[in-house]
Amino acid sequence: MTESAVDVWTSKAEAYLAQQRDLGGPELYGLALALPALGLRGPAPSPAGGRLEAFRIEIGDCRKCGLAASRTHLVFGAGNPDARLMIVGEAPGEEEDRRGEPFVGEAGRLLDRILNAVGFDREEVYIANVLKCRPPRNRDPLPEETALCLPYLEGQIDRIQPRLILALGRFAAQSLLSCADPLSRLRGAVQERNGVPVIATYHPAALLRNPEWKRPTWEDVQRLRKLYDERVGDKPAWNPSA
Ligand code: URA
Ligand code: URA
């Protein structure tokens, strides 16, 4: 095969394997990891990227709670596995469930604008939700769903090792900080989770309904940017040739 034929074949194989993963075939998806090792695809993921991929395979076609029955996709997370900044939302909405990616609907477009306003973009951060599957009609997560799903977010945090976390909305903030305080008490100051600073702000979906929360959100993300610039430079960027 010519090199480009190999490329076409591998991208078709990857698309097929991703589909198998989404349909619930973690074993087949595991084969996707072998492609770089076979020399068919490079470069290999960074160490954190590899750990995160392996974790995704471990989770497979999770059926621990009732949301598995109504979801289209399990929305694991997206972005840079070597991110210094991790962004945590509540749960996939309709468009996220359909596409299998976090924050790709209207709230996601607002999130992109908020991030861009302080000089971040989606590709450099990692975005995930507390719940990986969409609650029907976007109802609030149930305590048992949260208890079963939160270990997945914790596993992602362990593998990514972000230096800073932005929690979007009350539910994400309370879940990350293991508390029941209202968002009004959690935002405005830097919180901490196992030594990692956490900044809580309004959820972008809440901002769409309550534009008067845009100004305090702006103050929160400026605080985020300042903290990132002061404290986050110590995590080296992953260098594939090092
Ligand atoms: N709201 C969330 O909390 N997460 C998403 O991924 C989309 C909307
Ligand atoms: N309550 C929430 O749950 N989220 C917000 O962003 C604001 C209030």
Side-chain angles (χ1 to χ4, degrees):
M1 277 192 286
T2 65
E3 199 172 330
S4 67
V6 169
D7 270 353
V8 169
W9 184 82
T10 52
S11 59
K12 279 191 179 153
E14 282 173 348
Y16 173 73
L17 291 164
Q19 190 186 32
Q20 290 302 309
R21 173 197 64 196
D22 293 342
L23 293 172
E27 302 79 9
L28 264 181
Y29 179 62
L31 287 175
L33 284 188
L35 289 175
L38 295 171
L40 291 174
R41 203 37 132 203
S46 70
R51 288 194 294 271
L52 207 57
E53 277 286 314
F55 188 49
R56 174 67 191 87
I57 291 165
E58 213 177 286
I59 291 172
D61 180 36
C62 176
R63 310 215 147 251
K64 288 187 179 165
C65 81
L67 298 180
S70 54
R71 73 171 178 230
T72 310
H73 286 103
L74 186 159
V75 181
F76 179 66
N80 175 9
D82 297 288
R84 298 168 167 110
L85 171 61
M86 188 159 164
I87 298 180
V88 177
E90 178 170 319
E94 186 180 7
E95 197 157 341
E96 291 78 19
D97 175 62
R98 185 150 25 89
R99 291 175 48 188
E101 266 192 67
F103 282 102
V104 288
E106 198 185 357
R109 288 187 282 280
L110 179 55
L111 175 62
D112 284 341
R113 291 207 299 278
I114 293 169
L115 293 178
N116 292 343
V118 287
F120 292 114
D121 65 16
R122 174 180 281 264
E123 282 69 40
E124 83 180 291
V125 305
Y126 192 88
I127 306 179
N129 289 303
V130 177
L131 288 197
K132 305 310 185 202
C133 298
R134 182 193 183 203
R137 293 174 306 281
N138 302 340
R139 64 155 168 75
D140 288 346
L142 302 175
E144 58 267 33
E145 291 162 354
T146 308
L148 288 166
C149 212
L150 191 58
Y152 293 155
L153 178 68
E154 289 167 344
Q156 289 171 303
I157 294 172
D158 286 347
R159 287 161 178 83
I160 294 167
Q161 300 273 314
R163 293 293 199 261
L164 187 52
I165 297 175
L166 176 66
L168 300 174
R170 173 179 63 89
F171 178 76
Q174 291 179 343
S175 303
L176 282 165
L177 300 168
S178 313
C179 72
D181 294 354
L183 186 67
S184 56
R185 197 164 318 143
L186 297 174
R187 60 162 293 277
V190 180
Q191 309 292 330
E192 193 194 294
R193 179 191 185 281
N194 299 339
V196 180
V198 175
I199 288 183
T201 193
Y202 294 101
H203 192 289
L207 297 182
L208 292 168
R209 296 187 299 268
N210 303 278
E212 72 276 15
W213 290 343
K214 284 188 179 171
R215 172 170 285 276
T217 302
W218 172 240
E219 290 162 7
D220 293 335
V221 293
Q222 285 184 304
R223 194 175 301 117
L224 174 84
R225 181 76 232 190
K226 189 160 177 282
L227 196 65
Y228 183 95
D229 290 341
E230 286 168 1
R231 307 240 316 243
V232 170
D234 61 334
K235 182 174 177 177
W238 184 67
N239 177 358
S241 58

